[in-house]
Amino acid sequence: MTFAIHGLPVARGVAIGRAVLVASSRLDVAHTFIRPDQVDSEIARLSAAREAVTEELQRLMATLPKDAPGELAGVLEVHLLLLQDPTIRADVRRWVTERLYNAEWALTSQLEVLGRQFDQMEDDYLRERKADVEQVVERVLRHLKGAALPVVAAAAAPRVPRQHDLALEDTLDVPLVLVAHDLSPADMLQFKQSVYAGFVTDVGGKTSHTAIVARSMDIPAVVGARSASQLVRQDDWVIIDGDAGVMIVDPSPIILAEYGFKQRQGELERGRLARLKNTPAVTLDGVKIELLANIEEPADTVAALAAGAVGVGLFRSEFLFMGRHGKLPDEEEQYAAYRAAVEGMHGLPVTIRTVDVGADKPLDDSRHDAAHLNPALGRRAIRWCLAEPAMFLTQLRAILRAAAHGKVMILIPMLAHVSEIRQTLELVDKAREQLDQRGAVHGPVQLGAMIEVPAAALSVRLFLRYFDYLSIGTNDLIQYTLAIDRADESVADLYDQLHPAVLHLVADTIAEGARQAKPVAVCGEMAGDPGMTRLLLGLGLRSFSMHPSQILQVKQEVLRADVGKLTEWAQAVLASDEPGALLEV
């Protein structure tokens, strides 16, 4: 019987193949009490399993193919750090020594404690890092049980076609589709050497590591499909619609033919988009548009260039700082990372956002202050940097040194007060002086401010007196303008990028930048949404920054647009009480 399972679309395209089920190790864990004289041997089991997983991950890192997405190495490093975390290790040992839990029970008990801590985090990205902890625990559990890695085991499982399916396949060499409760990005390396065409997971979100890797590898994927791994049977025919976020199980021949056609159309469309890589982003009426890439680590520059980006509009430097258990990256480490990104873009501009961590993005659990009732409104981003001037000066010196190797722009997040602006500029000058005093080579930079707080958008004239350019962070701007916590599912439907207040703040910022002849970019999700491209062009936006995988789709919209005709329409959308109703016109 044909049925559909709905989830979140995270990687575009259609995949058709046989389902390979991967069971979660946590679903079958022994819960037994041990005797006091067994404590040492149980802790030894834990240590041996942890060391085995460490060696396993190190082997994976050492054998990463050259064309592997840069995100994979970063994820493997995070998993290694979690394995070595002394706090987690001590807490698991405590379950064994004080509660006399067996190793498996101790491990899953600590996972539940950590899971609750992650669930309470305000930031979407950090809350979804819970999946990394779960994946590391599953690897250790597999070694405790002597089980094989899930992807390897699934691939080795025999496939016995059911009689009523024989008409659907002309050959036994059909693609396989992975269906799992969760899937570690490290396990996804198997996609490179296998017939896996896509995957579906019960859990996960659009910003999870698994979703990010799926997008970078261009694998159709659906996450958050709830009970998919329980409803799908081994070897079922399934269709993954990565555009709609749907998995169709046991499709009828008519549905299969329909999606086969859609799959072929998608492949043709990707081929057409790929041909746009070297086409200048210019509208029908000759307006040149700048399409930039958002990146998280230097290795992402490869994908940016492959997509035809003309620069990096947002390098999220905070990923160098997170998960280090209080040990911040020093100047040399940061300089090396920023220089690698600058050189990786081969002369194209790179915009580095200063570290955006704080109450809602703790560097590690020990520094997370539970007294912050609403971390999103607490000491974060530039507020945290100004409260930690030594750390901030270290980063500024590293960025200024990297600027000697190419065009670098510094972007300051979450500014709202003129006092913050002045303190920031004073610290930039101080960083230059410190480099001069020690004879260190550094280069010129342009300074920019993020407009992501309504107070900043309403003070845009003031900001432009101090900064060379502005970049609108639409994700936070929408959240703060509408007082909507994106992490709260009960109000998630009210998070509206087309709310008139949001559009007015965006439009006014773009217009004021044009009046003062200073560049304004958009680097939030709005910039990478092809459905918003025409409106933003009509409002005067000329610089878009987005995930590399979104660039060609947005470029296609740019090439089809006539800015002269869009301007009047965009003003009508701006004046409407219901802008969404006019967006399709």
Side-chain angles (χ1 to χ4, degrees), residues 313-315 351-355 399 409-413 415 446-451 467 469-472 523:
L314 178 64
F315 179 175
T351 300
I352 301 173
R353 182 174 68 184
T354 56
V355 59
I399 296 174
M409 305 163 77
I410 297 178
L411 184 60
I412 311 297
L415 287 164
Q446 288 188 315
L447 289 175
M450 287 196 75
I451 303 299
F467 292 100
Y469 68 97
L470 302 176
S471 188
I472 306 173
C523 62

Side-chain angles (χ1 to χ4, degrees), residues 226-500:
R226 305 297 177 109
S227 55
S229 64
Q230 299 174 28
L231 295 174
V232 178
R233 298 172 301 172
Q234 190 78 20
D235 216 42
D236 270 342
W237 272 97
V238 296
I239 297 171
I240 297 178
D241 186 338
D243 299 303
V246 176
M247 176 171 67
I248 299 174
V249 183
D250 197 15
S252 66
I254 293 177
I255 295 176
L256 193 68
E258 179 183 342
Y259 270 93
F261 176 76
K262 184 176 180 180
Q263 187 179 47
R264 291 188 293 275
Q265 289 297 107
E267 291 169 356
L268 291 173
E269 177 63 19
R270 291 187 194 190
R272 284 193 292 268
L273 286 175
R275 291 196 290 271
L276 298 179
K277 173 189 170 182
N278 297 317
T279 302
V282 179
T283 64
L284 292 173
D285 52 342
V287 179
K288 186 177 180 180
I289 305 301
E290 187 178 52
L291 299 182
L292 306 166
N294 294 345
I295 68 172
E296 297 171 359
E297 58 182 11
D300 294 339
T301 56
V302 175
L305 291 175
V310 296
V312 170
L314 178 64
F315 179 175
R316 298 183 175 97
S317 68
E318 55 268 19
F319 290 94
L320 297 173
F321 290 71
M322 294 180 179
R324 302 174 64 97
H325 315 293
K327 187 179 185 300
L328 301 181
D330 61 19
E331 182 179 327
E332 291 304 316
E333 181 181 346
Q334 291 189 60
Y335 164 65
Y338 304 145
R339 176 179 176 176
V342 171
E343 293 180 339
M345 290 304 293
H346 303 295
L348 296 174
V350 175
T351 300
I352 301 173
R353 182 174 68 184
T354 56
V355 59
D356 185 3
V357 298
D360 72 330
K361 295 180 182 178
L363 295 179
D364 56 65
D365 290 340
S366 64
R367 297 183 66 165
H368 183 62
D369 187 354
H372 292 287
L373 297 179
N374 195 329
L377 303 180
R379 194 179 71 168
R380 55 166 293 197
I382 192 59
R383 300 173 184 175
W384 184 77
C385 290
L386 295 177
E388 302 278 354
M391 178 281 301
F392 194 34
L393 282 167
T394 298
Q395 180 174 41
L396 291 173
R397 290 194 302 269
I399 296 174
L400 290 169
R401 288 173 60 193
H405 302 279
K407 185 177 181 180
V408 171
M409 305 163 77
I410 297 178
L411 184 60
I412 311 297
M414 207 177 170
L415 287 164
H417 301 270
V418 68
S419 60
E420 294 172 335
I421 295 175
R422 289 171 178 162
Q423 289 179 67
T424 298
L425 297 181
E426 288 171 3
L427 287 171
V428 173
D429 289 338
K430 185 174 181 179
R432 287 196 185 99
E433 291 172 6
Q434 291 175 341
L435 291 173
D436 288 336
Q437 288 171 2
R438 72 188 201 204
V441 177
H442 59 90
V445 296
Q446 288 188 315
L447 289 175
M450 287 196 75
I451 303 299
E452 50 189 341
V453 178
L458 294 171
S459 306
V460 65
R461 292 183 183 178
L462 169 68
F463 274 62
L464 287 169
R465 290 213 306 264
Y466 290 93
F467 292 100
D468 301 309
Y469 68 97
L470 302 176
S471 188
I472 306 173
T474 52
N475 300 350
D476 272 340
L477 184 61
I478 296 168
Q479 173 172 259
Y480 292 132
T481 301
L482 302 182
I484 297 297
D485 183 355
R486 288 176 287 158
D488 188 342
E489 293 183 1
S490 65
V491 293
D493 60 314
L494 298 176
Y495 183 85
D496 181 11
Q497 64 180 354
L498 289 173
H499 190 286

Side-chain angles (χ1 to χ4, degrees), residues 160-199:
V160 181
R162 289 183 294 277
Q163 187 63 39
H164 74 279
D165 289 328
L166 293 178
L168 290 173
E169 59 179 327
D170 299 320
T171 173
L172 293 177
D173 186 22
V174 296
L176 301 180
V177 171
L178 220 55
V179 181
H181 175 71
D182 197 7
L183 186 61
S184 164
D187 290 335
M188 290 178 63
L189 283 172
Q190 302 296 329
F191 279 115
K192 285 289 186 181
Q193 293 85 28
S194 73
V195 291
Y196 291 120
F199 71 86

